[in-house]
Amino acid sequence: KLVFDARLDSDAQVVAKLCSSYGQLVHQHMCVKGVAPDLLVYHETESTAKREEKWIVVVMEYRSQLDNIGEWLRERDFVHGDLREPNFLLDQESRKFYL
């Protein structure tokens, strides 16, 4: 998975991910509850003769803080599947974590 900080034409800061799988439904449920950033783009690429693997492009708002995400997921019987340190971003200046 590749993760990038980016800015839109409006100068809004976003996080973009390029990955082979993504829990879109879980993300949307978490967003409704206010514990995940708005999902701005979810796009699955098509397989081609040269490239069999499909990629998923995900763009979301840059979020300042996510509280108790693991507990929130467990209470709703969701499984993140990869809730580990490399899937969090740390803002060095504010010392806040982002999922």
Side-chain angles (χ1 to χ4, degrees):
K1 173 176 22 178
L2 302 171
V3 180
F4 305 92
D5 286 329
R7 291 202 179 270
L8 302 178
D9 290 340
S10 66
D11 206 36
Q13 189 174 0
V14 296
V15 174
K17 294 183 179 185
L18 183 62
C19 43
S20 58
S21 64
Y22 193 78
Q24 180 185 17
L25 180 62
V26 173
H27 188 118
Q28 289 170 332
H29 283 285
M30 292 168 35
C31 184
V32 167
K33 295 297 181 179
V35 296
D38 285 343
L39 188 59
L40 304 173
V41 174
Y42 178 89
H43 176 75
E44 294 184 22
T45 63
E46 297 294 324
S47 298
T48 66
K50 292 182 180 179
R51 182 179 41 84
E52 291 183 27
E53 186 175 16
K54 292 192 331 185
W55 285 96
I56 299 170
V57 177
V58 177
V59 179
M60 64 190 77
E61 288 182 318
Y62 187 79
R63 194 56 152 334
S64 62
Q65 186 174 2
L66 298 173
D67 296 323
N68 303 318
I69 194 66
E71 180 180 341
W72 187 91
L73 289 169
R74 284 188 297 279
E75 288 174 357
R76 286 150 184 85
D77 295 322
F78 283 114
V79 176
H80 182 278
D82 201 16
L83 200 58
R84 59 192 178 93
E85 186 176 334
N87 291 328
F88 287 85
L89 299 175
L90 171 63
D91 182 329
Q92 294 289 336
E93 188 173 312
S94 68
R95 306 296 296 165
K96 293 180 180 177
F97 286 95
Y98 303 90
L99 177 63

